[in-house]
Amino acid sequence: LFNPLNTTTYSVTITDTNNCVSTDTLQIVSEGEIPTFAGADTAFCQGDSVLLGGNPSAPGPDITYNWLPNQFLSSDTVGNPMAYPATNFQYIVLTEMDTCTGIDTINLTVLDPPVYTVVPNDTILCDADTIQLNVFGGDIFNWSDSALLSNDSIANPIAFPDTTTSFQLIVSDSSGCRDTSNVNITVQASLEINLSDTINACIDSPILIGGNPTALTGDLYQWSGGSFLDSDTIDAPSATIDTSMTFYVYVEDSIGCNASDSVKVEVFRMLSHTPDTAICNDQAIPLSFVTNQGVEPLIYTWLPIDGLSDTTGSTTVATPNVSTTYTVIVNDQLGCLDTAEFNINIFDLAQAGF
């Protein structure tokens, strides 16, 4: 039985009875270990994988491999398995061929992903507004939807989406490790105000000037002309005025989106009429007046009717015999009315004689 510690050559010489001699040799090669390479210690990003072993991991075609521990490996019996541990890890590889063995160790360092914060994360944006996105941490940035950003490779781009959009962000650090997150921006529909352009009203009679509702999603209202309204902070106030006015409203919803609009209230009233006057007896004087707005047709009532050429229109000719106060009442189709008075004094004719 031969068991040399080192490579040794053994010789044997045989002599027979005829003194014939024969010699032979035997070399026994002793290999201490199989050269084994588990790979260089390495660092890689969390979530990635790394190839173990060398090229080759051990020489020879009939090498068997056994990687320990056998966790997080694509295979524990091949020369170059893929490893994907989530934390720092050490692997040992044992090689074997016949009675020869080998061993080596590799240390894997798992690098954490970049640490960063996105402000704001998810938010609501008013239609047609913009918002600045800010990333704190990381070294390299890559945003999706570049057409909706002022710059898709900086930490603080301006976003201007016109519809609800989810922006994907990839953040990388100096080690090449990266992480992905999403910023969801919900675009609030435009705040619509439902006001009439013009409302007809009666003089000194309350009229509702808001919509129904003024704004479907409105939470805060502020009207101009508060002294003429029953409230200047409600959806649909009532206005009481004696002359035409325009009211403006500012509306804001629960997230601060706002809009403004206006409504003109046209008050039916007399604007001007023939002034009081004095005439001689048997003279005639035209009487007329001008109204503002009103829903036509207008209805005219003249009192008294004595001495008037017409009692159904906005103009007439008066020929009174005595001093008279004429009153005209004008109604529109909303039931609004206004009145005017014409005072006509009569001078007696002078008496001529010799």
Side-chain angles (χ1 to χ4, degrees):
L1 177 64
F2 298 95
N3 188 20
L5 297 177
N6 300 298
T7 298
T8 304
T9 301
Y10 295 92
S11 299
V12 59
T13 302
I14 300 175
T15 304
D16 63 12
T17 57
N18 297 316
N19 289 322
C20 293
V21 177
S22 178
T23 301
D24 199 2
T25 61
L26 172 67
Q27 184 182 53
I28 298 177
V29 178
S30 176
E31 295 283 356
E33 286 186 353
I34 300 174
T36 302
F37 184 52
D41 292 345
T42 188
F44 64 102
C45 300
Q46 189 180 82
D48 288 348
S49 58
V50 63
L51 185 69
L52 303 183
N55 186 22
S57 298
D62 299 320
I63 304 294
T64 60
Y65 297 90
N66 185 19
W67 291 87
L68 298 173
N70 62 355
Q71 298 171 304
F72 315 115
L73 293 172
S74 59
S75 173
D76 61 349
T77 59
V78 297
N80 298 103
M82 297 296 298
Y84 44 89
T87 58
N88 295 344
F89 220 78
Q90 183 185 75
Y91 286 102
I92 300 172
V93 61
L94 303 176
T95 56
E96 185 176 344
M97 183 179 65
D98 294 331
T99 59
C100 300
T101 61
I103 187 172
D104 197 22
T105 301
I106 183 173
N107 294 297
L108 301 182
T109 301
V110 178
L111 303 176
D112 291 329
V115 177
Y116 62 96
T117 302
V118 183
V119 179
N121 187 3
D122 294 340
T123 189
I124 301 176
L125 185 67
C126 300
D127 185 39
D129 279 358
T130 62
I131 188 169
Q132 184 167 35
L133 306 177
N134 296 280
V135 185
F136 301 96
D139 298 296
I140 301 173
F141 312 94
N142 188 1
W143 296 86
S144 67
D145 297 283
S146 59
L148 304 177
L149 297 169
S150 60
N151 191 313
D152 63 355
S153 59
I154 61 174
N156 54 349
I158 303 296
F160 40 87
D162 52 5
T163 59
T164 297
T165 303
S166 179
F167 291 94
Q168 185 182 75
L169 169 65
I170 300 175
V171 178
S172 304
D173 59 19
S174 57
S175 299
C177 297
R178 66 182 191 174
D179 188 55
T180 301
S181 60
N182 290 287
V183 178
N184 300 305
I185 298 180
T186 301
V187 177
Q188 182 87 328
S190 298
L191 188 62
E192 295 185 4
I193 299 180
N194 305 306
L195 292 181
S196 300
D197 293 333
T198 304
I199 297 175
N200 292 294
C202 302
I203 189 170
D204 291 330
S205 180
I207 183 71
L208 194 68
I209 64 172
N212 186 25
T214 296
L216 188 61
T217 58
D219 282 346
L220 180 149
Y221 296 87
Q222 185 61 60
W223 292 85
S224 67
S227 61
F228 301 99
L229 303 174
D230 57 349
S231 174
D232 61 359
T233 58
I234 63 175
D235 174 22
S238 292
T240 304
I241 54 179
D242 60 5
T243 188
S244 297
M245 286 184 62
T246 298
F247 293 90
Y248 299 88
V249 62
Y250 169 87
V251 184
E252 189 173 294
D253 65 15
S254 59
I255 66 169
C257 299
N258 62 79
S260 299
D261 203 356
S262 63
V263 56
K264 185 174 184 180
V265 181
E266 295 280 8
V267 174
F268 173 64
R269 61 172 296 166
M270 297 280 193
L271 294 181
S272 62
H273 60 82
T274 302
D276 295 343
T277 188
I279 60 174
C280 296
N281 196 4
D282 291 334
Q283 281 187 325
I285 183 170
L287 303 180
S288 64
F289 59 88
V290 178
T291 59
N292 176 64
Q293 299 305 317
V295 179
E296 296 183 345
L298 303 181
I299 301 172
Y300 307 91
T301 303
W302 290 85
L303 297 172
I305 62 175
D306 297 336
L308 297 179
S309 63
D310 183 15
T311 60
T312 61
S314 61
T315 62
T316 188
V317 176
T319 312
N321 295 322
V322 294
S323 295
T324 303
T325 297
Y326 290 101
T327 301
V328 62
I329 304 170
V330 185
N331 296 79
D332 72 354
Q333 294 302 303
L334 288 180
C336 300
L337 66 84
D338 199 6
T339 63
E341 291 186 342
F342 305 84
N343 295 304
I344 302 175
N345 293 318
I346 301 298
F347 295 125
D348 292 333
L349 294 174
Q351 299 293 322
F354 295 95

